Amino acid sequence: MKALLLAGGLGTRLRPLTDDLPKPMVPIMGRPLLERIILNLKKSGVDEVVISTYYKSQYIEDYFNSKEDLGVKIHYITEESPLGTGGAIKNAEKFFDDTFLILNSDIVSDIDYADLIKYHKRRRAQVTIASIEVRDTSQYGVIEFDKKGFITAFKEKPKPGESNSKYINAGVYVFEPEVLKEVPENTVVSIERETYPKLLEKGYRMAIYKFNGYWIDIGTIDKYKKVHEDILKGKSRFVSTTSSRGIILGDNVKIHPTAKVIGPAYIGNNTEMDAYATVGPYTVIGNNCRIGQESKVSQSVLWDNVKVCRFARLENAVVTSECIVEVNMEVKNTVFTANRLASTTLIT
């Protein structure tokens, strides 16, 4: 089974986290989101993925080319200019000659991809759209469907009373390759607003896969932080973890006997905590970090290679890779990057 990962977005709302790397590569529990998605696809029987890139495409290729074999064959295709979701899918058409998955690469979810594919084949659909139920549909495109689970209409941001459906597009699809002939080449196309209504109008069999588990896009910094809190709380199975008292430790973690870890918390590989340092609760520390003497880090996400010097205080913060939080410094309700100007970004 093959999958297409749409990874070309600019990640504008996630800045400054995406100033130096593409949105799908922001770390989730110490590994890039895109890598975590690929590993979850592998569990569902996907053995080949195509990554469609645009923004900072070389970063993605360099990362996976330098990694150990993930057990999944990876291809890359790059847009010269943004083509929209439909255009990006059409651009990758040459890779697909059988049923395949498509995923937006900024989503964290517990969707069972294997079950989704089985459902698609049982319904003998040509397109299946994974969908989640929301309370307020006014900011989304709504999917209407019949009692047999086949889509009957798409309504964009309906007003109260305009639709009885509460189900919206979850950004995960199963396609049969023949539907791609309906998407024009080298053209900016929205799969959601243009292609899907066109397919429905032409009589293609389009099924809805209703999913009621964990789902969130990481489009904002607040949502990015929330994903980590939800994983630590056990609300999501996106990352498989085993913990003792809610504390998850990587390999070769060194914690001074007087240091304290308050769960739930995650500490990555080769990280050290010095005397009387405190980490947690609801804190994720990346790989190769150093948490200095008597420093405190709570409700925060630290990326790799971060040094927190002694007596520093971090609360409700995101700290990007290679940063040094200096002695006695307080970092609160903010994003802290190597470019200190970015540290003015507030987290609610």
Side-chain angles (χ1 to χ4, degrees), residues 56-243:
K56 296 189 179 295
S57 57
Q58 196 60 48
Y59 185 103
I60 294 174
E61 292 191 39
D62 289 347
Y63 177 85
F64 286 106
N65 288 339
S66 68
K67 288 290 292 181
E68 73 279 4
D69 185 11
L70 296 178
V72 177
K73 189 174 183 180
I74 300 176
H75 307 276
Y76 306 94
I77 187 163
T78 302
E79 301 169 56
E80 293 183 6
S81 60
L83 292 171
T85 48
I89 294 168
K90 180 69 173 183
N91 196 41
E93 183 176 16
K94 66 182 180 181
F95 291 101
F96 303 105
D97 57 6
D98 201 354
T99 307
F100 66 102
L101 277 161
I102 302 171
L103 292 83
N104 290 338
S105 295
D106 60 353
I107 290 170
V108 173
S109 82
D110 294 343
I111 290 178
D112 184 332
Y113 303 115
D115 188 64
L116 169 60
I117 294 162
K118 289 177 183 176
Y119 177 85
H120 170 84
K121 292 185 175 180
R122 283 200 311 270
R123 308 310 290 168
R124 297 182 181 177
Q126 291 160 294
V127 172
T128 297
I129 301 175
S131 179
I132 60 164
E133 189 175 18
V134 298
R135 292 181 181 177
D136 180 11
T137 60
S138 61
Q139 299 302 310
Y140 299 96
V142 169
I143 302 172
E144 296 186 344
F145 51 94
D146 61 24
K147 292 180 180 179
K148 294 182 179 180
F150 288 103
I151 296 169
T152 58
F154 296 93
K155 291 192 176 178
E156 187 64 26
K157 297 181 180 179
K159 295 177 182 178
E162 286 186 348
S163 178
N164 292 324
S165 176
K166 295 288 186 180
Y167 282 88
I168 66 167
N169 187 333
V172 180
Y173 321 119
V174 186
F175 269 35
E176 296 301 320
E178 66 263 21
V179 303
L180 297 180
K181 69 186 180 191
E182 302 293 350
V183 185
E185 292 186 20
N186 303 316
T187 305
V188 178
V189 180
S190 166
I191 199 76
E192 302 86 356
R193 293 182 176 87
E194 298 174 71
T195 306
Y196 286 157
K198 179 180 178 182
L199 293 175
L200 198 60
E201 191 177 298
K202 289 196 170 188
Y204 284 84
R205 289 170 64 86
M206 303 180 70
I208 184 171
Y209 177 85
K210 292 187 285 186
F211 170 72
N212 295 310
Y214 187 85
W215 182 94
I216 191 173
D217 72 90
I218 58 162
T220 66
I221 291 168
D222 284 331
K223 287 182 177 180
Y224 175 73
K225 274 201 79 256
K226 177 174 169 52
V227 162
H228 288 88
E229 292 175 7
D230 288 345
I231 292 171
L232 289 173
K233 289 176 181 177
K235 289 185 176 181
S236 170
R237 294 177 285 103
F238 182 73
V239 178
S240 298
T241 58
T242 55
S243 65

Side-chain angles (χ1 to χ4, degrees), residues 3 13 22 104 178 252 264-265 288 291 303 322 328 339:
R13 292 180 300 154
N104 290 338
E178 66 263 21
N252 196 33
N288 306 307
I291 311 301
W303 292 8
E322 313 297 336
N328 289 317
N339 175 6

Side-chain angles (χ1 to χ4, degrees), residues 263-287:
Y266 170 92
I267 300 178
N269 301 334
N270 306 311
T271 286
E272 297 184 29
M273 288 180 62
D274 292 342
Y276 300 102
T278 302
V279 162
Y282 299 108
T283 295
V284 172
I285 309 291
N287 302 314

